Amino acid sequence: LRACLFGRPREERGGSDGTDGGADALPLDEALAPLLREVPLDTLLNKLIDVAVKATESHALVSKRENTAASDPGRNGFGARGAEQAEHSVDLEIQGLITSTLISALATLTLLLRVKDTLGAFCAAPGTKPLVARTLVRYPDAEVRAQMARLLTTASQGPELLRTVLPWFIEELQQLPRDCATAEHLFTVLIWAVCRGADGGIAPDLLRALSQELLRKLASFARDPVSRLPPTDGSGPGEKGCTVLEGCLKTLSEVLSRSATAIDESILGVPLVTFIFEKGLFAMPDLEGAGANEGARVQGDSFCRSPKERVAAFRLLLEASRTSPRMLTAILSDVELLLSGAVGSLSRSWNVEVSGEEKSPAAPYVGLKNQGCTCYMNSLLQQLFMVPSVRHAVLKAKVRRSRRQMARFAADPMDLVGRKLVFAIENGKTCDGVVTGYDDASGTHRVRYQTLGEHSFRLKEGRIGRETGDFWYADDGEAGEGEAGAGLPEAPSPSDEGDKEIEESQKKRLKIEGGQKLLEQIQRTFAFLLSSEKRYFDPRLLVEACRVLNLQYSVYQQNDAAEYANTVLDQLEEALKFSSRDMMRELELSFGGKVCYQKLPRDCDHRKNTLEPFKTIELIIRGKTSIEESLEAFVEGELMDGDNKVECDDCATKRACIRRTCLECRPNVLILHLKRFDLDFTTFETVKINSLCRFPEKLNVKKYTRVGIEEAERRAAAEADGVDVGGGGEGGEPPPQELDDADFEYELKGVLVHAGVAQGGHYYSFIADRGRNCWYRFDDEDVTPFDTSHIAAQCFGGTYTRNNSWHGAQEHERIANALMLFYEKVVPNGEIPQSDLQTPICPPANEGGEAAGAGAGGAAGGG
């Protein structure tokens, strides 16, 4: 049959595939006449439909078998055997044959539908409805879906056919997943149906039912936008395909252009154009709930995110403005409302370039722009952002930023009179001024500057070349009870305190305010990293706020990432003390560890334990091949004897003793700083150690803790005395409680890498996505997927061999290696005791003994 129909000359059949010829069906009738004398037309149609349906079922079975085999690690990837690979090849060949057969059957059906009086038999066939659904939407091969679309749109009885199958499409829309990647041809047919049938080919109630279902789909996107994370199975909308949202918008545009009365806006609750404008294109975050929790960001996201979706939405608005004066008025009102909330400088700006560079679907996270030499900062901030508890604590913290918002959004303009404000200038600087009056007729305020005199202008609009229209209070305002900033110390009065004390108090206040600005900018950066659709965010304001940290070098120059980690975490905690104590506790649970410095005298039972907090633990790696060896050296201890005997505080006698350091309180996030930068005592220069240092995916720290060491010592002593370790103690005392190993387990979640030498280099991070069990490489602006099987080659350091045609095999150092490791506790800690909360996590600078993890050897390069 296929040879008979497709073997005719091109000029007779009208097209290369027999589906796009002219309207003359006489040659086809003549070709089919001998066959139709033997086989009735309806029987022939049913046979072809049956073949096509069975082909779709067979393809689904083979695909299911393939997916089952792919989910079995023993039959997949590097572990696949030759026989299984051959079976896979056979399955692919079978799928190809099935698809070819299906395309042939659909093409033949397309030809038969050009014959008169075939439509009724086709629509009445029991297999037609499942065939259309399976091949137009669900079949994975795009050529099959395109062939079914041609069948429905190119037949001579196309409009009549579409009136029959359109209810099927509406039913399919109801079941269509919002992230479906194969719906492009469905919307192609729907748009064709609306264009060809709106002049009377399709009943108005059917067109209205179609528009209602499309509006319901749009409403579902506004309630719960489709996640931007790539699907775990690798499926998802392709770069060239049409998403469900884009298809709905395009189809609605056609419905609107043909029949505006078919649009029932009551489903949305607001006018269609307002819905598209406010929720699809220009959704504004909720100022009340934006920082309350991470889920609040969804309510402030525009559901039209990709360039194609936004183009389709704008075209819908354009079509609405052409069709309905009422909708045009609503659009203009929405535009005016949006512009009223923008700063004045934007309304005067022309040729504003808005970057259309969005983040890759393969890596759903946002990068950070490097300001020249700030990769040390970017790599550490990305590590902190990816820790859920830290991200939650920062985003939920109440910062003094709200005081800035209150000035701009003051309800009564007279409330600003007499207040000192800070005005943003178009050159990027700021200027202080006092509001001296307000003219109600012109809506202008009078502002007196210290050096620029007095000027009148509208505060929210600013002036060309001067104020941008953004301003905030220069002072703290009246911070009420519970508001951020309410706990800041007040400067003493000059009449009550001496000048020196006033100066010290002012310095302390400036430091606290600097910490609040740093917290505000970190929160702002985290909010963009969480919600932005751009490939990267520019954290220049955060870099400026980091000046308060007093790093070894300028924030725009090379600094040590480990030093930055300690100082920024200290400053964050100080800032949270004055704004959100609950969030400070979350930060303490995450990083608030403690080390125990022990003095163990001989011939004396007076042990002394001194606790000191830490944020990171510094490990010596020179001469060590793994962090387990480094940790053993960390807790090894040192015998103080002879002239180095230590005086016992209780006995007032010098005794030989062992001094050692061990872990006491284990944080939820354990940061290990590998000491790769050290001082070369020959040249007295800082050098980088690139030697091999392995680290495991899972780490048990029990034998490096005080309780673990003491338990091991008790066991060793009991075994030496021949005592049963599991029995009771002397005098019937119960045995010591057994420690749970699970409480000491940590899992690797991040690696911060330095590539280069001590005097210069580059920082970047490998970080695990906690929710999706995959890893990404965060390299400033670029975020890409990372295969953890490459961790050893890219993070352990050591040497590698390279063959050279001139010198043969040569050994080279791996200059890119891990500098900091981020381990997360498998069983997280709960609430910490109040006594611990009252103890400062980090001691003041230059006080007490040398803290564990104190840097040595100079700063590392980070370009």
Side-chain angles (χ1 to χ4, degrees), residues 2 48-49 51-52 100-110 151:
R2 181 177 177 227
L48 285 170
I49 293 172
V51 167
S100 176
T101 303
L102 183 55
I103 292 174
S104 299
L106 293 177
T108 308
L109 280 170
T110 305
L151 183 151

Side-chain angles (χ1 to χ4, degrees), residues 386-690:
M386 292 295 286
V387 180
S389 58
V390 178
R391 183 171 66 240
H392 176 261
V394 170
L395 290 176
K396 199 173 181 180
K398 295 180 180 179
V399 297
R400 300 177 64 206
R401 178 185 57 197
S402 59
R403 305 303 307 172
R404 299 178 59 170
Q405 296 172 348
M406 288 179 65
R408 179 167 172 77
F409 296 100
D412 187 354
M414 290 298 298
D415 292 343
L416 299 176
V417 177
R419 300 298 299 270
K420 184 177 181 182
L421 303 178
V422 180
F423 295 90
I425 310 300
E426 290 189 3
N427 61 5
K429 298 182 179 180
T430 59
C431 186
D432 293 356
V434 177
V435 181
T436 59
Y438 174 69
D439 183 5
D440 188 47
S442 61
T444 60
H445 286 82
R446 290 192 307 275
V447 179
R448 185 179 66 249
Y449 296 105
Q450 186 173 359
T451 57
L452 302 177
E454 192 169 81
H455 302 274
S456 295
F457 57 94
R458 295 182 178 180
L459 298 185
K460 293 185 179 181
E461 296 180 3
R463 294 179 293 166
I464 298 177
R466 297 184 181 275
E467 298 88 357
T468 65
D470 191 16
F471 56 91
W472 56 93
Y473 293 123
D475 53 16
D476 294 327
E478 302 85 6
E481 183 180 355
E483 288 189 8
L488 296 181
E490 297 182 357
S493 171
S495 60
D496 300 330
E497 304 286 346
D499 292 340
K500 186 176 180 181
E501 187 175 350
I502 294 176
E503 184 179 354
E504 290 296 325
S505 178
Q506 289 176 344
K507 286 182 180 180
K508 183 178 180 181
R509 185 178 181 83
L510 288 175
K511 182 179 179 181
I512 294 174
E513 289 180 348
Q516 288 289 310
K517 290 180 181 178
L518 177 64
L519 174 60
E520 174 187 348
Q521 291 304 324
I522 292 179
Q523 187 180 79
R524 177 173 178 265
T525 301
F526 277 18
F528 274 95
L529 292 180
L530 183 68
S531 301
S532 177
E533 296 300 326
K534 294 183 64 175
R535 186 170 69 91
Y536 63 86
F537 169 70
D538 187 351
R540 181 177 60 86
L541 295 178
L542 171 58
V543 177
E544 288 287 341
C546 285
R547 293 181 185 275
V548 72
L549 300 178
N550 295 322
L551 299 175
Q552 184 174 4
Y553 303 105
S554 165
V555 290
Y556 289 101
Q557 294 181 355
Q558 301 173 5
N559 278 284
D560 185 5
E563 176 197 3
Y564 177 73
N566 283 301
T567 52
V568 77
L569 289 175
D570 289 346
Q571 195 68 50
L572 264 181
E573 182 180 291
E574 286 295 323
L576 289 173
K577 280 183 181 179
F578 294 99
S579 58
S580 303
R581 290 190 175 272
D582 290 340
M583 298 303 103
M584 182 191 70
R585 292 188 183 94
E586 287 198 30
L587 200 66
E588 287 179 344
L589 285 171
S590 298
F591 300 106
K594 289 181 181 175
V595 292
C596 180
Y597 295 103
Q598 291 187 303
K599 286 197 302 184
L600 312 175
R602 290 186 174 180
D603 305 324
C604 175
D605 295 331
H606 299 145
R607 291 189 171 196
K608 185 174 182 181
N609 297 330
T610 303
L611 302 184
E612 286 196 14
F614 72 87
K615 293 292 191 301
T616 64
I617 293 182
E618 185 178 75
L619 299 179
I620 307 296
I621 64 167
R622 188 187 291 272
K624 309 293 189 295
T625 60
S626 67
I627 64 167
E628 289 90 345
E629 293 183 17
S630 299
L631 285 168
E632 288 173 3
F634 179 76
V635 301
E636 184 178 10
E638 179 183 6
L639 176 62
M640 311 297 292
D641 202 355
D643 295 337
N644 296 322
K645 288 183 177 180
V646 178
E647 183 175 353
C648 175
D649 296 335
D650 296 325
C651 302
T653 306
K654 284 193 173 183
R655 299 179 182 275
C657 76
I658 294 177
R659 297 181 64 178
R660 70 183 178 198
T661 306
C662 51
L663 296 177
E664 179 68 25
C665 297
R666 304 174 301 283
N668 285 337
V669 181
L670 178 64
I671 305 178
L672 302 180
H673 169 210
L674 309 186
K675 192 178 179 183
R676 289 200 175 271
F677 302 98
D678 207 353
L679 185 66
D680 186 342
F681 289 98
T682 304
T683 61
F684 289 97
E685 291 182 349
T686 303
V687 295
K688 183 181 177 185
I689 303 171
N690 292 314

Side-chain angles (χ1 to χ4, degrees), residues 132 140 147 205 243 271 541 654:
V132 172
Q147 185 62 53
D205 57 340
T243 64
L541 295 178
K654 284 193 173 183

Side-chain angles (χ1 to χ4, degrees), residues 676 690-693 791-799 814-818:
R676 289 200 175 271
N690 292 314
S691 59
L692 176 70
C693 184
I791 280 187
Q794 299 198 28
C795 303
F796 283 2
T799 60
R814 297 185 186 273
I815 61 172
N817 35 57

